[in-house]
Amino acid sequence: MRLLAEGLSAVRGERVVFRDIDFELASGQALVLHGPNGSGKTTLLRVIAGLIGTLAGRLRLIDKDGKTLADEERDQAQHFVGHQDAIRSQLRVIETLRFHAALLGAEPKHIDEAVATWGLQALVDLSGGLLSAGQRRRVSLARLSLQRRQLWLLDEPLVALDAPTRARLNDVCSKHLTQGGMIVAASHEPFLGDRRTLTLGFAE
Amino acid sequence: MRTFWALIRRDVMLGVRASGGAALAAAFFALIVVLVPFGLGPETGTLRAVAPGIFWIAALLATLLGLERMLQPDAEDGTLDLLRLSPLPLELAALAKIAAHWLTSGFIISLLAPALAPLLSLATSAIPILALSLLLGTPGLSAIGAVGAALGTSVQRGGMVLAILVLPLNIPFLIFGASAVAAAQNGDNPAQALIFLTACSLLALVVGPIAAAAALRLNEE
């Protein structure tokens, strides 16, 4: 599978946040987006996810037979983990995970696996309101383990995570890449060894 | 389909557990009904004459309460992004939200109303029609409310905007709902008003989810 961006430009409000962005990402590759605050990292991730439209340019997810995926197929081929963690204080962690699994169309049997992968065993019965920022982040990242999907879009995945969880995230992502997955992540810190980076911003 | 039911279940859970959810809608509805005799005086004739209208006005206002919770928090906490990327079509997601809102507002009110009927001296013969009219009409109120809630997600704390958008569209429900109950109370046949009420409700349930989904897609920019 390949992700191909050609001449992408996007506006937020009245402002052009980035213009003429080209990149190509193949199976097993990760692209880390760097850039100052407001340089359009989140916007680019949301554009790739199909949550917002572009001003110009084209973005295609191409499967191994060379066919461009339609919007609905693309939704099914990607995980989007944004800033916002979609956790409610009135729901227990396990209820949140079940709901997230249902939204993805994932089998409920993968929930236990995700709980184990992200070390959430002690948290499942807590209500969302009691979680710390890092714990909320972990619950949010657990979505990645609920269903196998090719393209992962991660917005600031390292924020609020402690060292062991960072290592865990690194392991999960590396494993995903060796299995032929793709990752696009926005980060202020080096992520996944910064194998490939794209620096946004500096243009007014 | 599993996603559809999961969304209803989650929203009902939130509606029951959150302050400002189902309990508040029921309490608000009961309060309006309880306050009317204090305002209008205890004369049975007066109360009986206004009862159908009061019950329906109370239902309209009580169903407004939960609307701000319907989509606004989801837009703020990122759940809406997940909904948009989900295999469940956004129209069906809107329908699930409408169903959950109805279960935690209109449905509870419909069950509660017969118990409150004696407070306004509503004729005993009209009580089943009161409950029936609320059961038939309130799903439509939730559906129209969903359109307002979807438009409101682009406005921070759009509570009042929401009420102003939604209330005029609810007027047909008020007219047919109240006249069905009044007809039953006066010994007339309420069937015609109930049919019109049901028609309004069905129309709203078809158009509401489509319009709400369109509004949610538009809001992103």
Side-chain angles (χ1 to χ4, degrees), chain A residues 47-67:
Chain A
V47 164
I48 298 172
L51 285 166
I52 46 180
T54 53
L55 180 67
R58 194 152 75 127
L59 188 111
R60 289 181 294 164
L61 196 58
I62 301 165
D63 67 11
K64 58 182 186 295
D65 306 321
K67 192 169 72 67

Side-chain angles (χ1 to χ4, degrees), chain A:
Chain A
M1 196 173 264
R2 285 188 307 145
L3 177 68
L4 195 61
E6 297 160 302
L8 286 185
S9 304
V11 282
R12 297 301 281 157
E14 302 283 296
R15 197 171 69 92
V16 176
V17 282
F18 55 76
R19 64 174 82 227
D20 284 337
I21 289 194
D22 299 288
F23 63 83
E24 189 180 345
L25 202 65
S27 278
Q29 294 185 332
L31 180 67
V32 181
L33 309 175
H34 290 303
N37 298 130
S39 58
K41 299 186 295 295
T42 296
T43 305
L44 180 54
L45 283 173
R46 293 178 70 83
V47 164
I48 298 172
L51 285 166
I52 46 180
T54 53
L55 180 67
R58 194 152 75 127
L59 188 111
R60 289 181 294 164
L61 196 58
I62 301 165
D63 67 11
K64 58 182 186 295
D65 306 321
K67 192 169 72 67
T68 301
L69 297 186
D71 286 353
E72 305 80 53
E73 295 169 314
R74 201 169 77 177
D75 288 348
Q76 293 303 292
Q78 68 192 10
H79 274 303
F80 176 76
V81 181
H83 281 294
Q84 300 151 308
D85 39 32
I87 293 168
R88 288 296 176 80
S89 52
Q90 294 91 356
L91 294 182
R92 289 182 297 134
V93 168
I94 187 70
E95 289 165 341
T96 302
L97 288 172
R98 281 192 202 120
F99 176 59
H100 286 175
L103 283 184
L104 293 171
E107 295 294 322
K109 61 173 190 271
H110 296 304
I111 293 174
D112 291 340
E113 209 179 297
V115 166
T117 306
W118 295 94
L120 300 172
Q121 293 90 338
L123 305 179
V124 286
D125 285 320
L126 291 183
S127 84
L130 296 175
L131 300 182
S132 74
Q135 289 171 329
R136 294 171 77 92
R137 199 80 204 142
R138 257 152 71 191
V139 173
S140 196
L141 287 165
R143 276 212 305 281
L144 298 173
S145 308
L146 287 173
Q147 196 178 50
R148 267 205 64 71
R149 292 185 172 193
Q150 278 282 316
L151 174 61
W152 291 3
L153 304 169
L154 312 175
D155 199 352
E156 300 285 0
L158 295 172
V159 166
L161 294 185
D162 55 16
T165 315
R166 285 179 177 216
R168 204 190 304 258
L169 174 65
N170 212 51
D171 290 347
V172 172
C173 287
S174 303
K175 190 171 156 218
H176 177 61
L177 292 175
T178 51
Q179 289 173 346
M182 295 186 285
I183 296 175
V184 182
S187 180
H188 285 291
E189 299 163 69
F191 181 56
L192 292 173
D194 272 357
R195 284 171 240 192
R196 260 183 80 190
T197 60
L198 177 67
T199 306
L200 297 172
F202 305 119
E204 263 312 293

Side-chain angles (χ1 to χ4, degrees), chain B residues 71-73 75-76 80 148-156 162 215-216 219:
Chain B
L71 289 162
Q72 182 76 41
E76 281 165 12
L80 193 57
L151 289 169
T153 52
S154 57
V155 188
Q156 294 296 316
L162 195 66
L216 288 177
N219 270 350

